[in-house]
């Protein structure tokens, strides 16, 4: 269920530009999206795991705030990231 170190490095390399660029907004959103997908899969199998459900809601809110920040500061980067991750249809 946890994301491996190699997976994190590949996400940061793909979206942040370098494996050490962990602070970029795009990389953080991509990492949160990966964690949200993992927890969603877990909750489909374990419907009564309410603590994980609460954590999922927290992660979605955190991703939403990062996306709204990115939309205000870099609209073209926001649109490109949404397209890459396939978030909004």
């Amino acid at each position: 269920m946890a994301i491996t170190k190699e997976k994190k490095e590949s996400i940061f390399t793909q979206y942040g530009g370098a494996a050490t660029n962990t602070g970029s907004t795009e990389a953080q959103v991509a990492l949160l999206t990966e964690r949200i997908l993992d927890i969603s899969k877990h909750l489909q199998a374990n419907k009564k795991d309410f603590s994980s459900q609460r954590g999922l809601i927290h992660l979605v809110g955190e991703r939403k705030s990062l996306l709204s920040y990115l939309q205000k500061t870099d609209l073209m980067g926001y649109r490109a990231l949404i397209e890459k991750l396939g978030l909004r249809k």
Side-chain angles (χ1 to χ4, degrees):
M1 190 158 141
I3 299 174
T4 62
K5 183 178 179 181
E6 293 80 22
K7 182 69 175 173
K8 281 185 185 180
E9 286 178 359
S10 69
I11 289 172
F12 289 138
T13 304
Q14 183 178 4
Y15 293 99
T20 57
N21 190 7
T22 59
S24 83
T25 308
E26 293 88 354
Q28 289 181 22
V29 170
L31 184 64
L32 283 173
T33 301
E34 187 68 31
R35 288 179 64 195
I36 287 169
L37 292 175
D38 285 346
I39 292 175
S40 295
K41 287 180 195 173
H42 169 76
L43 285 175
Q44 287 177 354
N46 304 292
K47 296 191 184 304
K48 293 191 177 185
D49 188 358
F50 298 114
S51 61
S52 292
Q53 188 175 10
R54 183 178 184 275
L56 175 68
I57 291 170
H58 176 76
L59 290 177
V60 170
E62 191 173 340
R63 182 178 71 179
K64 182 180 177 186
S65 67
L66 283 172
L67 283 172
S68 67
Y69 167 76
L70 187 62
Q71 186 177 16
K72 290 177 201 170
T73 57
D74 182 18
L75 186 60
M76 296 307 291
Y78 166 79
R79 289 180 180 162
L81 183 65
I82 293 299
E83 185 68 32
K84 265 188 185 178
L85 294 175
L87 292 179
R88 295 189 171 81
K89 296 176 170 91

